[in-house]
């Protein structure tokens, strides 16, 4: 049985931890609202530009003049997984869910005989080096960024496009967590290069005339679409991270409270046992006299 001093020190330690987790929960709750508003505000634009690109892509006949971001390079052997995570931990299962989704896709592609390369965006994604040490293509450091801006997503998109132009990969997939609520963040994996073509998009769209032609518009629109999708991923991640951290710290605070109660009961019982032992010894000594 632990001594009274050891129990008292442990209770004090847990109380200090509880104060920290409570403070982290309040900070995450304060940041969540703004991050959630930014993520929800960015969704309509990202979804709309996706629809416009899909509509244009469905009308284009693939030729040598078709932008490579749409037509691809004619190969499907090398896949790049862009895994976006946070820079900090203590966010529950937020990072691990994204990493798990990326690992499932990587294992599926490797089993199919494809070559997989992984580009991590965020510190916590670097854990993938443990599982795929020979597949890491690079890491983009986001630690200096406090509030995500479109320019940050543009830099990531520029690097991805440059790698594609250099022939480093054939297909790119983007992984992030879509924010639904503080309790639910859904891991998402979507193909971003080449742009998936929906054959029904042209049928559902009305008759439209483009000036200039579709290929010229796509040449300018496709890089922007990639940057917008990455920006959406970063915004969704920011909201998901704060929601997951708030929930995790709330659970940690509750668990600390339960542990304090259990330790306090154990402390009181140990103290009572010590007092009882001393009384018995005093009574025994008095009777001996």
């Amino acid at each position: 049985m632990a001594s009274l001093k050891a129990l008292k020190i442990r209770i004090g330690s847990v109380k200090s931890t509880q104060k920290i987790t409570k403070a982290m929960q309040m900070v995450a709750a304060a940041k969540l609202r703004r991050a959630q508003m930014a993520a929800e505000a960015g969704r309509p634009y990202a979804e709309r530009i996706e629809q416009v690109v899909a509509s244009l892509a469905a009308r284009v006949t693939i030729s040598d003049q078709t932008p490579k971001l749409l037509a691809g390079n004619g190969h499907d052997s090398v896949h790049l997984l862009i895994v976006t995570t946070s820079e900090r931990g203590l966010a529950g299962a937020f990072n691990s869910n994204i990493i798990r989704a990326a690992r499932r896709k990587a294992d599926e592609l490797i089993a199919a005989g494809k070559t997989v390369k992984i580009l991590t965006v965020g510190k916590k994604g670097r854990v993938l080096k443990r599982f795929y040490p020979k597949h890491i293509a690079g890491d983009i450091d986001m630690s200096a960024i406090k509030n995500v801006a479109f320019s940050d997503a543009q830099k990531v998109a520029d690097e991805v496009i440059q790698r594609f132009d250099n022939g480093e990969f054939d297909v790119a997939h983007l992984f992030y967590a879509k924010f639904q609520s503080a309790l639910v963040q859904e891991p998402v994996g979507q193909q971003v290069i080449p742009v998936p073509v929906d054959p029904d998009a042209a049928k559902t769209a009305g008759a439209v005339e483009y000036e200039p032609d579709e290929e010229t518009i796509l040449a300018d629109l496709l890089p922007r679409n990639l940057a917008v999708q990455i920006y959406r991923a970063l915004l969704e991640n920011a909201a998901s991270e704060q929601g997951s951290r708030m929930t995790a710290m709330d659970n940690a605070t509750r668990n600390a409270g339960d542990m304090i109660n259990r330790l306090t009961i154990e402390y009181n019982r140990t103290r009572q046992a010590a007092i009882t032992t001393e009384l018995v010894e005093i009574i025994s000594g008095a009777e001996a006299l």
Side-chain angles (χ1 to χ4, degrees):
M1 182 179 293
S3 66
L4 287 173
K5 183 177 180 181
L7 286 171
K8 192 171 183 179
I9 291 174
R10 192 175 179 190
I11 290 172
S13 176
V14 176
K15 284 183 177 179
S16 298
T17 302
Q18 186 184 42
K19 290 179 181 179
I20 294 172
T21 56
K22 182 64 176 178
M24 292 183 67
Q25 175 194 352
M26 295 175 66
V27 170
K31 291 181 177 180
L32 172 60
R33 182 57 182 167
R34 183 166 54 183
Q36 180 180 352
M37 291 176 62
E40 291 175 349
R43 286 176 188 171
Y45 182 76
E47 292 171 357
R48 185 55 181 163
I49 194 173
E50 223 175 4
Q51 294 172 1
V52 170
V53 170
S55 176
L56 282 169
R59 300 170 181 272
V60 172
T61 302
I62 302 300
S63 65
D64 294 337
Q65 286 73 38
T66 305
K68 297 299 181 183
L69 291 176
L70 171 63
N73 56 14
H75 303 284
D76 184 28
S77 57
V78 182
H79 290 247
L80 178 69
L81 307 186
I82 308 168
V83 184
T84 61
T85 57
S86 68
E87 292 290 328
R88 299 171 56 201
L90 297 177
F94 163 67
N95 288 304
S96 58
N97 285 340
I98 298 174
I99 291 170
R100 193 176 297 114
R103 288 187 61 193
R104 282 197 297 266
K105 185 64 175 181
D107 293 340
E108 175 187 332
L109 292 170
I110 292 172
K114 308 295 183 181
T115 299
V116 173
K117 294 184 178 182
I118 300 174
L119 177 65
T120 60
V121 182
K123 180 179 178 180
K124 291 302 174 179
R126 298 174 192 172
V127 71
L128 287 166
K129 292 180 181 180
R130 300 179 188 174
F131 308 102
Y132 311 98
K134 299 180 180 179
H135 299 269
I136 302 299
D139 171 65
I140 298 177
D141 186 11
M142 306 287 283
S143 59
I145 300 172
K146 293 184 178 180
N147 297 315
V148 177
F150 182 74
S151 58
D152 302 317
Q154 186 68 63
K155 292 177 182 178
V156 178
D158 290 342
E159 179 169 340
V160 172
I161 292 174
Q162 183 177 0
R163 289 174 179 268
F164 180 66
D165 291 339
N166 292 339
E168 295 184 22
F169 66 90
D170 305 319
V171 182
H173 308 267
L174 177 64
F175 291 87
Y176 62 95
K178 183 178 181 180
F179 178 83
Q180 294 185 356
S181 70
L183 296 174
V184 182
Q185 301 87 33
E186 179 187 0
V188 175
Q190 67 178 104
Q191 180 177 318
V192 289
I193 298 177
V195 175
V197 178
D198 182 6
D200 297 327
K203 298 178 182 179
T204 56
V208 179
E209 292 185 3
Y210 294 96
E211 181 65 33
D213 55 78
E214 291 92 333
E215 287 82 359
T216 304
I217 296 175
L218 283 169
D220 180 69
L221 196 60
L222 287 169
R224 176 175 291 274
N225 175 61
L226 177 61
V228 169
Q229 300 310 319
I230 293 176
Y231 185 46
R232 172 169 67 172
L234 296 178
L235 290 177
E236 295 284 353
N237 270 6
S240 296
E241 178 188 356
Q242 299 304 332
S244 184
R245 178 172 291 116
M246 185 183 74
T247 302
M249 291 302 101
D250 179 56
N251 292 335
T253 302
R254 293 173 185 272
N255 291 339
D258 294 339
M259 182 175 291
I260 290 170
N261 292 336
R262 290 196 300 270
L263 290 173
T264 301
I265 292 172
E266 185 179 352
Y267 175 84
N268 291 335
R269 287 176 177 173
T270 303
R271 182 170 176 271
Q272 185 62 46
I275 293 172
T276 303
T277 301
E278 291 178 1
L279 289 174
V280 170
E281 290 175 352
I282 293 171
I283 294 171
S284 299
E287 291 179 351
L289 295 175

